[in-house]
Amino acid sequence: MSKKKRRIDKDRYGRGTNDPLPTPDPESAERIPVPDRPAPKKFNAPLWAGAIVVLLVLGVLAMNIFGSKDQLTVDSLNPPAVGALDGGSSVYPANSKLAFTENVKFGYLPAPTLSALGDGTIVAANPETAAKDMGLKKNLDKLDSAEFLDQTIKPARKDTNSGEPMTWDQIVDEFGGDTVFLPAIDSAEVATPALKTITEAGLEDSTLVRTDDAEVARAAADAGVGAMFTGDTTASGNESLSGAGYTAVAVEADAAEKWTGVDLDVWATGVKDKKQLDGLADAGVTGALSENPYKILPSEVKTD
């Protein structure tokens, strides 16, 4: 007996194999909701710009506050300090850029002589020697800044380089903070603009004015700048100098030790050699002034 095959006329979903497929109704079809796109955040340019400015200001203040600790000051000098008179005029072109650059490089203190030109510019130049040093045909008070800076300063020794002159503003801009300045000022005419340059640069603690003029010393004291008396110490006492606004005194090496122990810093002049300088430092002398600083305090900086 043969088995009769069952005809399959429906699929597994119960639909007839010959039935048409259902068509979806586009109107009734449900769509999966699409999440709303978040609104873009607005970039507040003025607010960010303001924040950046504030950060920059804070950065500058931090540099001024914390960076000032590295600034060399009169009080932070380690005895014996040595000031290079006119930049070390027996070694380098007097009051030249070369001289001051080498002073700072080797640890000596630039001690320029300051003068006023005809246009009021304060410059590093000794009026007593400038004509010879620079080959001038007229006095400093007859020159303007452009004429002065166009000059060349003769070398102090044979087979050495000549130098370029500098204004006081240029000196302060270039070396301020890296050294202590010991400028010689002999008149109020020079003192007023010279001290203004110092105070505007914030270098009051890094400057010691050399002078024998009481008016200049008082102007320095009023500006918060120390002053060193360079006149005749035999006619002046400690109390009278302190009362005049002086904070230091320059004394011949042979008599310098007698001035130690007072309320004035003592700087020796005419020191012969390092041995004598070391002895004076042991006795309480702050430093020395010399046209050849290498002679009394050989540099420890190695050169090429």
Side-chain angles (χ1 to χ4, degrees):
M1 181 175 175
S2 62
K3 291 184 181 181
K4 194 175 185 179
K5 291 183 180 181
R6 184 170 60 87
R7 188 177 63 181
I8 299 175
D9 55 1
K10 290 184 179 182
D11 62 16
R12 60 178 178 168
Y13 298 106
R15 293 179 300 208
T17 55
N18 295 323
D19 293 343
L21 294 173
T23 57
D25 182 2
E27 296 297 327
S28 63
E30 296 184 0
R31 298 181 179 179
I32 300 175
V34 178
D36 294 335
R37 178 180 298 175
K41 295 182 179 180
K42 295 182 179 180
F43 177 76
N44 196 326
L47 181 61
W48 277 99
I52 292 173
V53 170
V54 171
L55 290 174
L56 290 174
V57 171
L58 291 176
V60 171
L61 289 175
M63 288 181 65
N64 289 337
I65 294 173
F66 299 108
S68 61
K69 294 180 181 179
D70 295 331
Q71 177 177 310
L72 188 62
T73 65
V74 175
D75 290 338
S76 68
L77 292 175
N78 293 319
V82 174
L85 294 174
D86 287 344
S89 58
S90 68
V91 182
Y92 302 113
N95 293 298
S96 65
K97 182 176 181 178
L98 172 61
F100 302 137
T101 300
E102 295 296 286
N103 294 165
V104 176
K105 176 181 177 181
F106 291 104
Y108 305 118
L109 312 180
T113 299
L114 300 187
S115 302
L117 299 181
D119 62 0
T121 302
I122 304 303
V123 298
N126 189 331
E128 296 181 1
T129 61
K132 179 180 178 182
D133 293 339
M134 306 174 74
L136 298 177
K137 295 181 179 180
K138 49 186 176 180
N139 295 331
L140 292 173
D141 59 1
K142 302 299 181 181
L143 299 176
D144 60 24
S145 178
E147 291 174 317
F148 175 78
L149 293 175
D150 193 44
Q151 305 299 316
T152 299
I153 305 174
K154 296 179 181 179
R157 299 166 297 160
K158 293 181 179 180
D159 302 322
T160 58
N161 295 327
S162 57
E164 301 174 19
M166 296 186 77
T167 68
W168 177 231
D169 284 355
Q170 289 175 333
I171 295 172
V172 172
D173 287 343
E174 184 141 353
F175 306 111
D178 295 331
T179 188
V180 166
F181 296 120
L182 305 177
I185 301 177
D186 64 0
S187 70
E189 176 191 13
V190 175
T192 299
L195 290 170
K196 182 179 179 181
T197 296
I198 287 297
T199 56
E200 288 180 346
L203 296 174
E204 295 92 334
D205 294 338
S206 299
T207 306
L208 184 60
V209 172
R210 295 180 293 122
T211 188
D212 62 357
D213 187 293
E215 188 177 356
V216 173
R218 179 52 56 191
D222 292 343
V225 177
M228 180 193 303
F229 179 69
T230 57
D232 183 6
T233 56
T234 61
S236 304
N238 171 41
E239 293 182 359
S240 62
L241 292 177
S242 297
Y246 289 100
T247 58
V249 59
V251 185
E252 281 290 334
D254 294 339
E257 190 172 344
K258 299 178 182 179
W259 280 80
T260 58
V262 300
D263 59 351
L264 296 171
D265 291 334
V266 180
W267 291 73
T269 60
V271 177
K272 298 176 182 178
D273 51 32
K274 184 179 185 300
K275 181 178 179 180
Q276 185 181 24
L277 179 62
D278 287 341
L280 291 171
D282 291 339
V285 172
T286 299
L289 304 171
S290 176
E291 294 178 353
N292 185 351
Y294 299 93
K295 181 179 179 180
I296 61 174
L297 188 65
S299 173
E300 295 179 357
V301 177
K302 302 298 182 182
T303 58
D304 296 333

